[in-house]
Amino acid sequence: MSQYSSSLLDAAVNEFAKLPGIGRKTALRLVLYLLRQDIASAEALGNAIINLRNEVKYCKVCHNISDNDLCDICSNANRDSSIVCVTESIKDVMAIENTQQFNGLYHVLGGVISPMDGISPNDLEIDSLVERVAAGGISEVILALSTTMEGDTTNFYLFRKLAPFNVNISILARGVSIGDELEYTDEVTLGRSILNRTPFNDSFKL
Amino acid sequence: MSQYSSSLLDAAVNEFAKLPGIGRKTALRLVLYLLRQDIASAEALGNAIINLRNEVKYCKVCHNISDNDLCDICSNANRDSSIVCVTESIKDVMAIENTQQFNGLYHVLGGVISPMDGISPNDLEIDSLVERVAAGGISEVILALSTTMEGDTTNFYLFRKLAPFNVNISILARGVSIGDELEYTDEVTLGRSILNRTPFNDSFKL
């Protein structure tokens, strides 16, 4: 016998509870909420989930999520195709787009090298990045990966892969966060921000 | 243009964000999680939601959610059909079932009378309760509604509706919660628990 009085209820709670951050209590609350809505809105949610997974496309160039073979960013003639920003995930593309400070193109790796999690360079879109750079027309590659051990490992790997080509390789500036009090900044970050200090006039460029 | 680079992503985030307690950031997190899963698990969630809403049935007798016309509780010959516990929602049925202290049947009203929210007695399963009691065979009706203004209003309404019949009407005991310190119990509850004090021996019955 199922935990609840209906096997449909049981199935829906089980499926919701598989999502990250949603336990069985929250799952039950969501399911009971859906039961109170009209059929159309439950179907809208259900179909949105199924369509998302079945019909989603990734840009053939940058591997960002897209409706077409070429994403809106790669197909935008106003963007500078000579600068490519390498990110870990499509979420990072969104984060950088939100800053409105970058007008180049992206390359989504799909993760970072992490032997602990069994993620090797072959699992990532590294070969396609090297091909993009080898094809020419790219003057700068910005490595915008997480400042973790795995991110740094991937940075070094990419640096060695891209070094043979005539391309500038940069990484995101690391330093004290805007709005942070120095007192509470961790020592490693503070140390780096002193080593990589910026000429005062440059700090007003943005 | 959609907020995200894919209209499918946009649609899924919008639908998730309609759920209670899920904002756009959490919705995006869930959607990106689903994108990383295989197609089967996304379809399982989507279909569970659609099936739930399309195929769900309610017990014809007690209006609890059920797979069949008659729910597992109503069709269970081992349960005492002479006692009916009236609850607001199917969630309250689950809560009472979890106590394992009740072996009778239920009657789910589908809410409480609340003029503020436009819920009148006609919107609730009150007529069907009166019919059940009028049909005979029920010796006691337990009113297990919330101890709110609306719950009390509904209690009084039900009491007047059921008074003409030869049936005992009881409500849940109200008093100090188990594990509560008296010091922090609110005055109304504490006052009631003195007025409705129980003979000492009776308190060990459970």
PDB file of all heavy atoms in Angstrom, chain B residues 65-98:
ATOM      1  N   ILE B  65      -8.854  11.964  -1.068  1.00  0.00           N
ATOM      2  CA  ILE B  65      -8.247  11.610  -2.344  1.00  0.00           C
ATOM      3  C   ILE B  65      -8.095  10.089  -2.398  1.00  0.00           C
ATOM      4  O   ILE B  65      -7.815   9.455  -1.382  1.00  0.00           O
ATOM      5  CB  ILE B  65      -6.885  12.323  -2.500  1.00  0.00           C
ATOM      6  CG1 ILE B  65      -6.350  12.174  -3.902  1.00  0.00           C
ATOM      7  CG2 ILE B  65      -5.899  11.843  -1.463  1.00  0.00           C
ATOM      8  CD1 ILE B  65      -5.116  13.033  -4.143  1.00  0.00           C
ATOM      9  N   SER B  66      -8.297   9.511  -3.578  1.00  0.00           N
ATOM     10  CA  SER B  66      -8.354   8.056  -3.660  1.00  0.00           C
ATOM     11  C   SER B  66      -8.054   7.586  -5.070  1.00  0.00           C
ATOM     12  O   SER B  66      -8.181   8.329  -6.037  1.00  0.00           O
ATOM     13  CB  SER B  66      -9.754   7.599  -3.254  1.00  0.00           C
ATOM     14  OG  SER B  66      -9.936   6.250  -3.562  1.00  0.00           O
ATOM     15  N   ASP B  67      -7.644   6.317  -5.213  1.00  0.00           N
ATOM     16  CA  ASP B  67      -7.462   5.750  -6.549  1.00  0.00           C
ATOM     17  C   ASP B  67      -8.772   5.230  -7.122  1.00  0.00           C
ATOM     18  O   ASP B  67      -8.911   5.069  -8.333  1.00  0.00           O
ATOM     19  CB  ASP B  67      -6.457   4.593  -6.495  1.00  0.00           C
ATOM     20  CG  ASP B  67      -5.037   5.100  -6.433  1.00  0.00           C
ATOM     21  OD1 ASP B  67      -4.837   6.310  -6.671  1.00  0.00           O
ATOM     22  OD2 ASP B  67      -4.135   4.314  -6.135  1.00  0.00           O
ATOM     23  N   ASN B  68      -9.741   4.923  -6.240  1.00  0.00           N
ATOM     24  CA  ASN B  68     -10.997   4.312  -6.674  1.00  0.00           C
ATOM     25  C   ASN B  68     -12.169   5.177  -6.235  1.00  0.00           C
ATOM     26  O   ASN B  68     -11.984   6.207  -5.599  1.00  0.00           O
ATOM     27  CB  ASN B  68     -11.132   2.920  -6.048  1.00  0.00           C
ATOM     28  CG  ASN B  68      -9.859   2.119  -6.241  1.00  0.00           C
ATOM     29  OD1 ASN B  68      -9.416   1.930  -7.361  1.00  0.00           O
ATOM     30  ND2 ASN B  68      -9.248   1.706  -5.136  1.00  0.00           N
ATOM     31  N   ASP B  69     -13.372   4.726  -6.563  1.00  0.00           N
ATOM     32  CA  ASP B  69     -14.562   5.476  -6.163  1.00  0.00           C
ATOM     33  C   ASP B  69     -14.727   5.492  -4.650  1.00  0.00           C
ATOM     34  O   ASP B  69     -15.297   6.424  -4.091  1.00  0.00           O
ATOM     35  CB  ASP B  69     -15.813   4.867  -6.814  1.00  0.00           C
ATOM     36  CG  ASP B  69     -15.903   5.246  -8.280  1.00  0.00           C
ATOM     37  OD1 ASP B  69     -15.158   6.160  -8.698  1.00  0.00           O
ATOM     38  OD2 ASP B  69     -16.707   4.637  -9.005  1.00  0.00           O
ATOM     39  N   LEU B  70     -14.249   4.420  -4.012  1.00  0.00           N
ATOM     40  CA  LEU B  70     -14.324   4.320  -2.559  1.00  0.00           C
ATOM     41  C   LEU B  70     -12.891   4.229  -2.041  1.00  0.00           C
ATOM     42  O   LEU B  70     -12.114   3.408  -2.525  1.00  0.00           O
ATOM     43  CB  LEU B  70     -15.118   3.059  -2.190  1.00  0.00           C
ATOM     44  CG  LEU B  70     -15.811   3.033  -0.825  1.00  0.00           C
ATOM     45  CD1 LEU B  70     -16.838   4.138  -0.722  1.00  0.00           C
ATOM     46  CD2 LEU B  70     -16.461   1.683  -0.599  1.00  0.00           C
ATOM     47  N   CYS B  71     -12.524   5.094  -1.084  1.00  0.00           N
ATOM     48  CA  CYS B  71     -11.117   5.117  -0.658  1.00  0.00           C
ATOM     49  C   CYS B  71     -10.779   3.916   0.221  1.00  0.00           C
ATOM     50  O   CYS B  71     -11.660   3.182   0.660  1.00  0.00           O
ATOM     51  CB  CYS B  71     -10.799   6.422   0.066  1.00  0.00           C
ATOM     52  SG  CYS B  71     -11.447   6.500   1.744  1.00  0.00           S
ATOM     53  N   ASP B  72      -9.473   3.738   0.467  1.00  0.00           N
ATOM     54  CA  ASP B  72      -9.009   2.596   1.249  1.00  0.00           C
ATOM     55  C   ASP B  72      -9.590   2.599   2.655  1.00  0.00           C
ATOM     56  O   ASP B  72      -9.803   1.543   3.251  1.00  0.00           O
ATOM     57  CB  ASP B  72      -7.467   2.633   1.345  1.00  0.00           C
ATOM     58  CG  ASP B  72      -6.816   2.318   0.004  1.00  0.00           C
ATOM     59  OD1 ASP B  72      -7.508   1.735  -0.841  1.00  0.00           O
ATOM     60  OD2 ASP B  72      -5.641   2.660  -0.180  1.00  0.00           O
ATOM     61  N   ILE B  73      -9.820   3.786   3.187  1.00  0.00           N
ATOM     62  CA  ILE B  73     -10.324   3.871   4.562  1.00  0.00           C
ATOM     63  C   ILE B  73     -11.809   3.492   4.591  1.00  0.00           C
ATOM     64  O   ILE B  73     -12.235   2.668   5.393  1.00  0.00           O
ATOM     65  CB  ILE B  73     -10.092   5.287   5.134  1.00  0.00           C
ATOM     66  CG1 ILE B  73      -8.591   5.566   5.246  1.00  0.00           C
ATOM     67  CG2 ILE B  73     -10.783   5.446   6.482  1.00  0.00           C
ATOM     68  CD1 ILE B  73      -8.225   6.984   5.642  1.00  0.00           C
ATOM     69  N   CYS B  74     -12.594   4.081   3.685  1.00  0.00           N
ATOM     70  CA  CYS B  74     -14.027   3.792   3.666  1.00  0.00           C
ATOM     71  C   CYS B  74     -14.301   2.336   3.324  1.00  0.00           C
ATOM     72  O   CYS B  74     -15.296   1.760   3.765  1.00  0.00           O
ATOM     73  CB  CYS B  74     -14.746   4.689   2.657  1.00  0.00           C
ATOM     74  SG  CYS B  74     -14.925   6.382   3.226  1.00  0.00           S
ATOM     75  N   SER B  75     -13.435   1.712   2.523  1.00  0.00           N
ATOM     76  CA  SER B  75     -13.697   0.337   2.094  1.00  0.00           C
ATOM     77  C   SER B  75     -13.069  -0.685   3.036  1.00  0.00           C
ATOM     78  O   SER B  75     -13.150  -1.888   2.806  1.00  0.00           O
ATOM     79  CB  SER B  75     -13.172   0.124   0.674  1.00  0.00           C
ATOM     80  OG  SER B  75     -11.780   0.363   0.642  1.00  0.00           O
ATOM     81  N   ASN B  76     -12.427  -0.209   4.117  1.00  0.00           N
ATOM     82  CA  ASN B  76     -11.768  -1.105   5.061  1.00  0.00           C
ATOM     83  C   ASN B  76     -12.788  -1.596   6.095  1.00  0.00           C
ATOM     84  O   ASN B  76     -13.266  -0.820   6.925  1.00  0.00           O
ATOM     85  CB  ASN B  76     -10.621  -0.352   5.734  1.00  0.00           C
ATOM     86  CG  ASN B  76      -9.807  -1.246   6.655  1.00  0.00           C
ATOM     87  OD1 ASN B  76     -10.248  -2.329   7.042  1.00  0.00           O
ATOM     88  ND2 ASN B  76      -8.613  -0.786   7.005  1.00  0.00           N
ATOM     89  N   ALA B  77     -13.093  -2.890   6.053  1.00  0.00           N
ATOM     90  CA  ALA B  77     -14.127  -3.461   6.931  1.00  0.00           C
ATOM     91  C   ALA B  77     -13.705  -3.443   8.393  1.00  0.00           C
ATOM     92  O   ALA B  77     -14.546  -3.567   9.292  1.00  0.00           O
ATOM     93  CB  ALA B  77     -14.448  -4.883   6.486  1.00  0.00           C
ATOM     94  N   ASN B  78     -12.385  -3.305   8.647  1.00  0.00           N
ATOM     95  CA  ASN B  78     -11.917  -3.307  10.041  1.00  0.00           C
ATOM     96  C   ASN B  78     -12.111  -1.969  10.733  1.00  0.00           C
ATOM     97  O   ASN B  78     -11.856  -1.849  11.926  1.00  0.00           O
ATOM     98  CB  ASN B  78     -10.428  -3.665  10.083  1.00  0.00           C
ATOM     99  CG  ASN B  78     -10.204  -5.110   9.715  1.00  0.00           C
ATOM    100  OD1 ASN B  78     -11.016  -5.968  10.067  1.00  0.00           O
ATOM    101  ND2 ASN B  78      -9.125  -5.367   8.988  1.00  0.00           N
ATOM    102  N   ARG B  79     -12.528  -0.940   9.993  1.00  0.00           N
ATOM    103  CA  ARG B  79     -12.672   0.365  10.614  1.00  0.00           C
ATOM    104  C   ARG B  79     -14.103   0.560  11.091  1.00  0.00           C
ATOM    105  O   ARG B  79     -15.047   0.028  10.517  1.00  0.00           O
ATOM    106  CB  ARG B  79     -12.240   1.459   9.633  1.00  0.00           C
ATOM    107  CG  ARG B  79     -10.754   1.306   9.276  1.00  0.00           C
ATOM    108  CD  ARG B  79     -10.206   2.492   8.553  1.00  0.00           C
ATOM    109  NE  ARG B  79     -10.112   3.666   9.399  1.00  0.00           N
ATOM    110  CZ  ARG B  79      -8.990   4.354   9.618  1.00  0.00           C
ATOM    111  NH1 ARG B  79      -7.850   3.967   9.070  1.00  0.00           N
ATOM    112  NH2 ARG B  79      -9.005   5.418  10.373  1.00  0.00           N
ATOM    113  N   ASP B  80     -14.245   1.359  12.139  1.00  0.00           N
ATOM    114  CA  ASP B  80     -15.534   1.567  12.802  1.00  0.00           C
ATOM    115  C   ASP B  80     -16.341   2.610  12.029  1.00  0.00           C
ATOM    116  O   ASP B  80     -16.096   3.805  12.133  1.00  0.00           O
ATOM    117  CB  ASP B  80     -15.261   2.039  14.236  1.00  0.00           C
ATOM    118  CG  ASP B  80     -16.555   2.210  15.017  1.00  0.00           C
ATOM    119  OD1 ASP B  80     -17.640   2.102  14.402  1.00  0.00           O
ATOM    120  OD2 ASP B  80     -16.470   2.453  16.234  1.00  0.00           O
ATOM    121  N   SER B  81     -17.342   2.135  11.274  1.00  0.00           N
ATOM    122  CA  SER B  81     -18.102   3.054  10.420  1.00  0.00           C
ATOM    123  C   SER B  81     -19.125   3.866  11.208  1.00  0.00           C
ATOM    124  O   SER B  81     -19.836   4.685  10.629  1.00  0.00           O
ATOM    125  CB  SER B  81     -18.798   2.287   9.290  1.00  0.00           C
ATOM    126  OG  SER B  81     -19.730   1.392   9.856  1.00  0.00           O
ATOM    127  N   SER B  82     -19.204   3.678  12.533  1.00  0.00           N
ATOM    128  CA  SER B  82     -20.187   4.435  13.321  1.00  0.00           C
ATOM    129  C   SER B  82     -19.613   5.760  13.818  1.00  0.00           C
ATOM    130  O   SER B  82     -20.324   6.579  14.372  1.00  0.00           O
ATOM    131  CB  SER B  82     -20.685   3.590  14.497  1.00  0.00           C
ATOM    132  OG  SER B  82     -19.644   3.436  15.440  1.00  0.00           O
ATOM    133  N   ILE B  83     -18.300   5.960  13.640  1.00  0.00           N
ATOM    134  CA  ILE B  83     -17.683   7.227  14.043  1.00  0.00           C
ATOM    135  C   ILE B  83     -17.129   7.934  12.810  1.00  0.00           C
ATOM    136  O   ILE B  83     -16.383   7.328  12.039  1.00  0.00           O
ATOM    137  CB  ILE B  83     -16.527   7.014  15.048  1.00  0.00           C
ATOM    138  CG1 ILE B  83     -16.990   6.168  16.225  1.00  0.00           C
ATOM    139  CG2 ILE B  83     -15.998   8.348  15.543  1.00  0.00           C
ATOM    140  CD1 ILE B  83     -15.932   5.966  17.283  1.00  0.00           C
ATOM    141  N   VAL B  84     -17.504   9.193  12.624  1.00  0.00           N
ATOM    142  CA  VAL B  84     -17.025   9.947  11.475  1.00  0.00           C
ATOM    143  C   VAL B  84     -16.277  11.184  11.959  1.00  0.00           C
ATOM    144  O   VAL B  84     -16.802  11.952  12.770  1.00  0.00           O
ATOM    145  CB  VAL B  84     -18.192  10.374  10.560  1.00  0.00           C
ATOM    146  CG1 VAL B  84     -17.714  11.348   9.493  1.00  0.00           C
ATOM    147  CG2 VAL B  84     -18.812   9.153   9.900  1.00  0.00           C
ATOM    148  N   CYS B  85     -15.059  11.341  11.484  1.00  0.00           N
ATOM    149  CA  CYS B  85     -14.249  12.494  11.859  1.00  0.00           C
ATOM    150  C   CYS B  85     -14.283  13.506  10.703  1.00  0.00           C
ATOM    151  O   CYS B  85     -13.902  13.186   9.578  1.00  0.00           O
ATOM    152  CB  CYS B  85     -12.817  12.035  12.122  1.00  0.00           C
ATOM    153  SG  CYS B  85     -11.710  13.363  12.564  1.00  0.00           S
ATOM    154  N   VAL B  86     -14.736  14.727  10.991  1.00  0.00           N
ATOM    155  CA  VAL B  86     -14.876  15.751   9.959  1.00  0.00           C
ATOM    156  C   VAL B  86     -13.604  16.594   9.913  1.00  0.00           C
ATOM    157  O   VAL B  86     -13.206  17.172  10.925  1.00  0.00           O
ATOM    158  CB  VAL B  86     -16.094  16.653  10.252  1.00  0.00           C
ATOM    159  CG1 VAL B  86     -16.200  17.761   9.210  1.00  0.00           C
ATOM    160  CG2 VAL B  86     -17.360  15.826  10.285  1.00  0.00           C
ATOM    161  N   THR B  87     -12.953  16.629   8.751  1.00  0.00           N
ATOM    162  CA  THR B  87     -11.732  17.430   8.626  1.00  0.00           C
ATOM    163  C   THR B  87     -11.881  18.459   7.508  1.00  0.00           C
ATOM    164  O   THR B  87     -12.783  18.378   6.688  1.00  0.00           O
ATOM    165  CB  THR B  87     -10.497  16.567   8.297  1.00  0.00           C
ATOM    166  OG1 THR B  87     -10.650  16.038   6.987  1.00  0.00           O
ATOM    167  CG2 THR B  87     -10.319  15.438   9.283  1.00  0.00           C
ATOM    168  N   GLU B  88     -10.929  19.398   7.540  1.00  0.00           N
ATOM    169  CA  GLU B  88     -10.943  20.484   6.570  1.00  0.00           C
ATOM    170  C   GLU B  88     -10.384  20.018   5.223  1.00  0.00           C
ATOM    171  O   GLU B  88     -10.898  20.373   4.174  1.00  0.00           O
ATOM    172  CB  GLU B  88     -10.051  21.586   7.162  1.00  0.00           C
ATOM    173  CG  GLU B  88     -10.174  22.941   6.571  1.00  0.00           C
ATOM    174  CD  GLU B  88      -9.304  23.936   7.339  1.00  0.00           C
ATOM    175  OE1 GLU B  88      -9.235  23.845   8.597  1.00  0.00           O
ATOM    176  OE2 GLU B  88      -8.683  24.789   6.690  1.00  0.00           O
ATOM    177  N   SER B  89      -9.306  19.238   5.263  1.00  0.00           N
ATOM    178  CA  SER B  89      -8.596  18.880   4.033  1.00  0.00           C
ATOM    179  C   SER B  89      -8.052  17.461   4.118  1.00  0.00           C
ATOM    180  O   SER B  89      -8.026  16.857   5.191  1.00  0.00           O
ATOM    181  CB  SER B  89      -7.418  19.842   3.821  1.00  0.00           C
ATOM    182  OG  SER B  89      -6.429  19.585   4.790  1.00  0.00           O
ATOM    183  N   ILE B  90      -7.598  16.952   2.976  1.00  0.00           N
ATOM    184  CA  ILE B  90      -7.007  15.622   2.950  1.00  0.00           C
ATOM    185  C   ILE B  90      -5.689  15.582   3.729  1.00  0.00           C
ATOM    186  O   ILE B  90      -5.286  14.554   4.232  1.00  0.00           O
ATOM    187  CB  ILE B  90      -6.778  15.132   1.504  1.00  0.00           C
ATOM    188  CG1 ILE B  90      -5.910  16.104   0.721  1.00  0.00           C
ATOM    189  CG2 ILE B  90      -8.098  14.947   0.786  1.00  0.00           C
ATOM    190  CD1 ILE B  90      -5.599  15.630  -0.684  1.00  0.00           C
ATOM    191  N   LYS B  91      -5.066  16.759   3.874  1.00  0.00           N
ATOM    192  CA  LYS B  91      -3.830  16.814   4.653  1.00  0.00           C
ATOM    193  C   LYS B  91      -4.101  16.519   6.132  1.00  0.00           C
ATOM    194  O   LYS B  91      -3.288  15.903   6.806  1.00  0.00           O
ATOM    195  CB  LYS B  91      -3.219  18.212   4.500  1.00  0.00           C
ATOM    196  CG  LYS B  91      -1.725  18.208   4.580  1.00  0.00           C
ATOM    197  CD  LYS B  91      -1.152  19.525   4.119  1.00  0.00           C
ATOM    198  CE  LYS B  91       0.346  19.522   4.320  1.00  0.00           C
ATOM    199  NZ  LYS B  91       0.975  20.761   3.862  1.00  0.00           N
ATOM    200  N   ASP B  92      -5.271  16.996   6.609  1.00  0.00           N
ATOM    201  CA  ASP B  92      -5.636  16.742   8.006  1.00  0.00           C
ATOM    202  C   ASP B  92      -5.957  15.267   8.222  1.00  0.00           C
ATOM    203  O   ASP B  92      -5.690  14.717   9.294  1.00  0.00           O
ATOM    204  CB  ASP B  92      -6.825  17.617   8.408  1.00  0.00           C
ATOM    205  CG  ASP B  92      -6.479  19.093   8.383  1.00  0.00           C
ATOM    206  OD1 ASP B  92      -5.275  19.411   8.471  1.00  0.00           O
ATOM    207  OD2 ASP B  92      -7.392  19.922   8.255  1.00  0.00           O
ATOM    208  N   VAL B  93      -6.526  14.631   7.186  1.00  0.00           N
ATOM    209  CA  VAL B  93      -6.759  13.187   7.279  1.00  0.00           C
ATOM    210  C   VAL B  93      -5.423  12.475   7.470  1.00  0.00           C
ATOM    211  O   VAL B  93      -5.272  11.616   8.338  1.00  0.00           O
ATOM    212  CB  VAL B  93      -7.474  12.648   6.012  1.00  0.00           C
ATOM    213  CG1 VAL B  93      -7.525  11.123   6.035  1.00  0.00           C
ATOM    214  CG2 VAL B  93      -8.872  13.233   5.898  1.00  0.00           C
ATOM    215  N   MET B  94      -4.429  12.867   6.672  1.00  0.00           N
ATOM    216  CA  MET B  94      -3.095  12.259   6.803  1.00  0.00           C
ATOM    217  C   MET B  94      -2.548  12.462   8.203  1.00  0.00           C
ATOM    218  O   MET B  94      -1.974  11.551   8.804  1.00  0.00           O
ATOM    219  CB  MET B  94      -2.119  12.885   5.802  1.00  0.00           C
ATOM    220  CG  MET B  94      -2.441  12.575   4.359  1.00  0.00           C
ATOM    221  SD  MET B  94      -1.286  13.449   3.265  1.00  0.00           S
ATOM    222  CE  MET B  94      -2.140  13.257   1.710  1.00  0.00           C
ATOM    223  N   ALA B  95      -2.701  13.692   8.741  1.00  0.00           N
ATOM    224  CA  ALA B  95      -2.166  14.007  10.066  1.00  0.00           C
ATOM    225  C   ALA B  95      -2.817  13.129  11.128  1.00  0.00           C
ATOM    226  O   ALA B  95      -2.136  12.590  12.010  1.00  0.00           O
ATOM    227  CB  ALA B  95      -2.377  15.488  10.384  1.00  0.00           C
ATOM    228  N   ILE B  96      -4.142  12.958  11.032  1.00  0.00           N
ATOM    229  CA  ILE B  96      -4.838  12.149  12.046  1.00  0.00           C
ATOM    230  C   ILE B  96      -4.494  10.677  11.872  1.00  0.00           C
ATOM    231  O   ILE B  96      -4.277   9.955  12.850  1.00  0.00           O
ATOM    232  CB  ILE B  96      -6.363  12.397  11.971  1.00  0.00           C
ATOM    233  CG1 ILE B  96      -6.661  13.853  12.354  1.00  0.00           C
ATOM    234  CG2 ILE B  96      -7.122  11.438  12.881  1.00  0.00           C
ATOM    235  CD1 ILE B  96      -8.096  14.272  12.157  1.00  0.00           C
ATOM    236  N   GLU B  97      -4.386  10.223  10.608  1.00  0.00           N
ATOM    237  CA  GLU B  97      -3.991   8.827  10.369  1.00  0.00           C
ATOM    238  C   GLU B  97      -2.617   8.548  10.964  1.00  0.00           C
ATOM    239  O   GLU B  97      -2.374   7.479  11.513  1.00  0.00           O
ATOM    240  CB  GLU B  97      -3.982   8.517   8.866  1.00  0.00           C
ATOM    241  CG  GLU B  97      -5.353   8.268   8.274  1.00  0.00           C
ATOM    242  CD  GLU B  97      -5.999   7.014   8.854  1.00  0.00           C
ATOM    243  OE1 GLU B  97      -5.589   5.915   8.499  1.00  0.00           O
ATOM    244  OE2 GLU B  97      -6.923   7.162   9.687  1.00  0.00           O
ATOM    245  N   ASN B  98      -1.720   9.529  10.862  1.00  0.00           N
ATOM    246  CA  ASN B  98      -0.371   9.339  11.390  1.00  0.00           C
ATOM    247  C   ASN B  98      -0.345   9.153  12.895  1.00  0.00           C
ATOM    248  O   ASN B  98       0.585   8.560  13.432  1.00  0.00           O
ATOM    249  CB  ASN B  98       0.522  10.526  11.004  1.00  0.00           C
ATOM    250  CG  ASN B  98       0.960  10.444   9.550  1.00  0.00           C
ATOM    251  OD1 ASN B  98       0.930   9.375   8.950  1.00  0.00           O
ATOM    252  ND2 ASN B  98       1.362  11.569   8.987  1.00  0.00           N
TER     253      ASN B  98
END
